[in-house]
Amino acid sequence: MKPRIAVVEDNPDNRLLVQAILDGLYEITEYESGTAALIGLAEAMPDLVLLDISLPEMDGTEVLRRIRSDPRLAALPVIALTAHAMSGDREKYLGLGFNDYLTKPIVDDAVLLETIARRLSKG
């Protein structure tokens, strides 16, 4: 059985790119908003979440806070996948409780794949 990855991303082009990179390797579930993701994650918990920071309704940091406060989801590996790439952003998001941090646009598929594999292997 393939590991399940939830992609929380409001931009259809970014979702399509991630889907193209991960297709065949993982079972992908996509959410366009943080609200939809929280409902979906509670119904069918994935093995890992790729979470955009800039989302409509509720930003990614709030989604992460709610994931971490839910005992069923608290240990779920969550990778920030964001265009926020200023100096200090990596440390900021890791400090907020993300397990890892990747910037968009994704220019090297291998970096995404290696980060996912590393986080999944840590269980």
Side-chain angles (χ1 to χ4, degrees):
M1 190 163 130
K2 294 177 191 172
R4 295 176 319 273
I5 295 181
V7 178
V8 186
E9 168 65 65
D10 61 316
N11 182 305
D13 292 335
N14 289 337
R15 284 196 313 273
L16 189 63
L17 176 60
V18 170
Q19 177 79 31
I21 295 168
L22 303 181
D23 189 43
L25 301 171
Y26 301 101
E27 183 181 316
I28 308 297
T29 305
E30 298 178 348
Y31 301 100
E32 292 185 35
S33 72
T35 305
L38 290 169
I39 293 166
L41 295 176
E43 293 174 356
M45 189 166 75
D47 297 299
L48 183 138
V49 178
L50 292 174
L51 178 56
D52 186 20
I53 299 298
S54 300
L55 293 167
E57 303 167 20
M58 178 188 319
D59 74 8
T61 59
E62 177 62 16
V63 174
L64 179 72
R65 189 188 67 72
R66 293 186 187 199
I67 288 171
R68 295 294 183 238
S69 68
D70 184 331
R72 299 166 299 161
L73 303 174
L76 188 60
V78 181
I79 298 172
L81 185 59
T82 180
H84 292 266
M86 300 297 290
S87 177
D89 279 347
R90 178 180 183 79
E91 294 75 17
K92 171 185 171 183
Y93 293 115
L94 293 177
L96 289 173
F98 284 91
N99 298 92
D100 219 317
Y101 167 92
L102 294 170
T103 58
K104 296 185 293 191
I106 299 167
V107 292
D108 186 349
D109 297 2
V111 173
L112 175 63
L113 293 170
E114 289 165 9
T115 303
I116 290 170
R118 182 172 64 250
R119 287 294 151 202
L120 288 174
S121 70
K122 292 186 178 188

